[in-house]
Amino acid sequence: MCGIVAYTGSRPALPVLLSGLKRLEYRGYDSSGIAVETPDKIAVRKAKGKVSELVNLLDSDEGALDQSTCGIAHTRWATHGPPTTENAHPHAGGKNGIALVHNGIIENHRALRQKLEGEGYIFLSETDTEVLAHLVDSKYEGSLVDAITSALGEVEGTYGLAAVAHAEPGKLVVARRGSPIVIGLGENETIVASDASAIIKYTRQAIYLDDNDIACICGSDLDIRSLGSGAVSRATSEIDWSADAAEKGGYEHYMLKEIFEQPESIRNTLRGRMDADRGNAILSGLNLSPRELADLYRVLIVGCGTSMNAGLVGEYAIEDFAGVLAEVEQAAEFRYRNPIIKSSDLVVAISQSGETADTLAAVREAIDKGALVSGLVNTVGSTIARETGRGIYLHAGPEISVASTKAFTSQVSVLLMMALKFARSRRMSREEGRQMVREIKAIPELVERTLAQNDHIAKVAERYLDCTSAFFIGRGYLYPVALEGALKLKEISYIHAEGYHAAELKHGPIALLEASVPVIALCNKGPGQDKTLGNVAECQARDSRVLGIVTEGDTEAMAAVDDYIEVPDCPLHTAVVPSTVALQLLSYHIARLRGCAIDQPRNLAKSVTVE
Ligand code: AGP
């Protein structure tokens, strides 16, 4: 949601803070601010809108803050109180020259606010974060880390925070519970952020705080404690992707770059995990013995948004190939409905960011109910990755665009490998396994051939950019593709779109079809294609224009639709990937032609770390 950057060391703090905020802007943005130490006070500057507004404000300071070597900064995605300068972070703590930035939600902020108002504190904002700042201030007796430790003992909810105090120059205090904080270790300096992408310009040596950790930092001196249990040490890990990997690489948008990265990102996902000889997948991160695999009764897949759509492909593949019961569920639904979970269940939590609050809560619910839990995550060191204790990293590289693309195709690739692994621990023969290995290893090349259609897809997009609403339909493995295609179109072009099972349209939604409402139909060759082509005719009889995703060379399907995009001929379980890539490009070009924001759509954030 929001972004945190903090710095203490020997160089001017402002350039480090501002470049970090720019890097984090994709996570969520409606305002931003900085607080830096100056000889006579902690100077705070805040601005509504994008980080560029804050930069303009700072330019008017004419360098007054340029000498500071310690400070904190924040980009905000509003949760409590509208996007205003007053609600922007940092928030100052009343009397003791304290400033604080915070990600997460303080759930008991109302009661704390009343208590602090009773102690004479005046609030300038509607935020829960200002409550935290004043609470820390009310505990301050000369030690910021002790004041924060004491304040956090009264806090219910989640936080990732960074704070400074005028009386303790050069010192940063950071803490986390439920919202990530990564500490970048430099030469005589330390850079802290809520996301590693803001620190890799300066260092690749990183420490990821655990929940309830609190760290006191001065220059490169670092002291980490765990609330309630004293000093702890945390492992230092190497951030393995480069700064330019997170750059646009010459593309107009991060989304287009990430769509075109997919042959490579999928190869990275598959690398070292396909055993062609034994016809199996090597998923050591699952950390399940052949016995545990063979005894698995059910696989429960939880996630949100695109990750949930990928999970649906996994459900079909695991049941199809392994004969293991599999179910996918929206994580928020799973966490609150008291699900029936057995110790023989494997819960797979799918999350690109590894920080989605509902998915993390579903993981914790599954752990509390005794299930085996595994993560399927892209962001190394993220909370879900660490709390599941076992899992499979996507290795898809940083996904900057809010609309998820390469994460989806890597998630599907991993889920196909999981289905293969489960199947080979049961009835699938080595030869059948070898065939499936060949099919999965062919996916990157299928994507390359689909990407070659980009110019054609851009042309087709011109015929659909003025529609008021759209339906995406598919069956079997192509039903999740319809859901994902609809999600892409609506979140970046703002055109209302719904994904439906092809058979479901005539049970009501078909009433909405008319000339201004096109249908995008997954008409790939394979089981169910004839039925879907029948649904296409039903849509055309209601004046809807139909764009078909068709198998290369399938002239019958081409003749049945008004426009088509060809994808390579392959089994339906792998056709999911090139078909989705075609719809990613379709949505991208429609949004581009409509002049939409694409990488940072209105109202959206890359990682939804609140309920
Ligand atoms: C997908 O394009 C969206 N940005 C959103 O649905 C996303 O997939 C969802 O919020 C889950 O995020 P996660 O994979 O990081 O958990």
Side-chain angles (χ1 to χ4, degrees), residues 304-307 350-354 356 402-404 487-488 491 608:
C304 301
T306 284
S307 294
I350 304 178
S351 176
Q352 189 286 131
S353 63
T356 298
V402 168
S404 188
L487 177 59
K488 284 298 93 60
E491 69 176 326
V608 183

Side-chain angles (χ1 to χ4, degrees), residues 71-114:
I72 57 178
H74 189 263
T75 54
R76 180 173 184 253
W77 188 77
T79 53
H80 288 72
T84 62
T85 304
E86 294 73 20
N87 288 335
H89 305 196
H91 287 286
K95 313 174 190 111
N96 292 298
I98 288 166
L100 177 144
V101 294
H102 160 243
N103 287 353
I105 289 183
I106 307 298
E107 296 187 355
N108 59 332
H109 67 96
R110 288 186 186 81
L112 290 171
R113 179 186 282 253
Q114 280 171 355

Side-chain angles (χ1 to χ4, degrees), residues 458-535:
K459 280 255 173 295
V460 170
E462 290 170 12
R463 298 180 210 135
Y464 292 86
L465 71 112
D466 295 325
C467 66
T468 56
S469 186
F471 282 91
F472 290 68
I473 62 172
R475 292 170 181 266
Y477 281 101
L478 301 171
Y479 169 49
V481 178
L483 297 177
E484 179 59 13
L487 177 59
K488 284 298 93 60
L489 184 64
K490 61 184 130 187
E491 69 176 326
I492 64 171
S493 74
Y494 311 149
I495 293 172
H496 174 257
E498 292 303 324
Y500 264 88
H501 190 283
E504 181 64 16
L505 217 54
K506 55 181 168 300
H507 296 282
I510 202 165
L512 293 174
L513 297 191
E514 54 188 14
S516 65
V517 180
V519 173
I520 292 84
L522 282 302
C523 306
N524 309 57
K525 262 188 188 166
Q529 182 196 32
D530 55 342
K531 299 285 188 297
T532 300
L533 290 177
N535 300 134

Side-chain angles (χ1 to χ4, degrees), residues 102-152:
H102 160 243
N103 287 353
I105 289 183
I106 307 298
E107 296 187 355
N108 59 332
H109 67 96
R110 288 186 186 81
L112 290 171
R113 179 186 282 253
Q114 280 171 355
K115 169 178 165 263
L116 290 161
E117 284 172 336
E119 294 172 11
Y121 282 94
I122 308 292
F123 286 82
L124 305 177
S125 80
E126 303 162 71
T127 67
D128 56 339
T129 302
E130 189 181 11
V131 171
L132 183 56
H134 287 324
L135 182 62
V136 171
D137 186 85
S138 71
K139 308 286 185 182
Y140 190 73
E141 294 173 351
S143 163
L144 183 60
V145 68
D146 290 347
I148 291 177
T149 299
S150 172
L152 294 180

